[in-house]
């Protein structure tokens, strides 16, 4: 998508490139895109297959921590210059009995947000990504669920209409246009 928008291949960094943090020295991101030495985007790619109950909280905390740290680094030290960071979160979840089971417990010492009552893990991930984007923790998300058939083939769904390949593509196109406009002389 970034290549299609005119970003040179050399400015698309994979292989766990580092960006500075505020609460920690640095953090590896899965995809970092630059344009004329300006940070266009940083994306996290995460997936989960099995052990959802054990790892859901970890995935949430990782995602929140990464975005919060980068935002604080920009606010406090401005290592990215005048163009603020733009963050994306891509999550792939394998559908299984554990992920689809409704009426998950949501009790705590104090009243929890009623939205979570009875949600499956798949629904909780959708809510997490919706809130991340809605609260500007991340600028865009993409949520995919996969299902393996008995013949070994894999199908996928995009159950969250605001976090699809198409919304990601449109957001990337808009971001690149904005950065190019900001850098125009």
């Amino acid at each position: 998508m970034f290549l299609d928008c005119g970003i040179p291949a050399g400015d698309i960094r994979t292989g766990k490139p580092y960006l500075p943090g505020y609460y920690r020295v640095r953090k590896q991101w899965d995809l970092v895109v630059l344009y004329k030495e300006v940070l266009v985007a940083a994306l996290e790619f995460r997936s989960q297959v099995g052990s959802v109950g054990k790892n859901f909280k970890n995935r949430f905390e990782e995602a929140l921590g990464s975005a919060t740290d980068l935002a604080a680094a920009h606010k406090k030290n401005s290592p990215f210059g005048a163009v603020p960071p733009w963050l994306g979160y891509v999550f792939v979840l394998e559908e299984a009995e554990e992920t689809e089971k409704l009426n998950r417990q949501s009790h705590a010492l104090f009243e929890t947000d009623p939205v979570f009552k009875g949600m499956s893990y798949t629904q909780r991930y959708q809510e997490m990504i919706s809130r991340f984007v809605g609260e500007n923790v991340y600028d865009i998300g993409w949520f995919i669920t996969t299902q393996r058939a008995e013949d070994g083939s894999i199908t996928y769904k995009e159950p969250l209409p605001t976090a699809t390949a198409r919304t990601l593509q449109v957001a990337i196109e808009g971001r690149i246009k904005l950065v190019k406009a900001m850098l125009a002389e």
Side-chain angles (χ1 to χ4, degrees):
M1 291 179 193
F2 290 100
L3 289 170
D4 291 343
C5 291
I7 298 294
D11 286 347
I12 300 170
R13 312 289 170 85
T14 59
K16 303 283 187 178
Y18 287 99
L19 290 176
Y22 177 74
Y23 301 105
R24 57 187 166 192
V25 174
R26 62 188 186 164
K27 197 263 184 230
Q28 287 181 314
W29 288 79
D30 294 303
L31 178 68
V32 173
V33 180
L34 306 173
Y35 181 73
K36 295 184 178 180
E37 301 302 315
V38 170
L39 178 62
V40 173
L43 285 88
E44 285 279 278
F45 295 92
R46 293 291 177 256
S47 64
Q48 190 156 13
V49 176
S51 301
V52 178
K54 293 180 181 178
N55 293 309
F56 175 80
K57 293 178 206 93
N58 293 338
R59 291 292 182 266
F60 168 79
E61 290 169 2
E62 288 170 353
L64 183 60
S66 295
T68 301
D69 192 33
L70 193 72
H74 180 68
K75 183 178 179 181
K76 302 287 186 179
N77 301 327
S78 197
F80 310 109
V83 180
W86 189 87
L87 307 179
Y89 188 74
V90 177
F91 195 85
V92 180
L93 178 67
E94 181 183 51
E95 287 183 21
E97 187 176 324
E98 181 185 19
T99 63
E100 304 310 303
K101 181 181 175 187
L102 295 174
N103 296 317
R104 306 245 36 119
Q105 293 184 8
S106 61
H107 64 277
L109 292 175
F110 297 92
E111 186 176 340
T112 60
D113 187 333
V115 166
F116 293 109
K117 185 175 181 171
M119 280 187 165
S120 68
Y121 283 119
T122 298
Q123 292 167 329
R124 287 183 184 189
Y125 273 120
Q126 290 177 65
E127 186 65 21
M128 178 185 87
I129 292 169
S130 291
R131 289 183 181 203
F132 279 166
V133 174
E135 296 294 323
N136 297 314
V137 175
Y138 284 87
D139 297 286
I140 191 68
W142 183 15
F143 180 62
I144 305 162
T145 60
T146 63
Q147 194 169 49
R148 186 179 306 273
E150 287 186 23
D151 68 359
S153 64
I154 297 175
T155 59
Y156 76 94
K157 297 178 198 167
E158 297 175 313
L160 185 58
T162 57
T164 65
R166 180 70 182 132
T167 59
L168 178 64
Q169 178 183 1
V170 170
I172 287 170
E173 290 168 356
R175 173 62 177 179
I176 292 170
K177 287 179 183 178
L178 175 68
V179 169
K180 287 181 175 181
M182 292 175 83
L183 297 177
E185 297 179 74

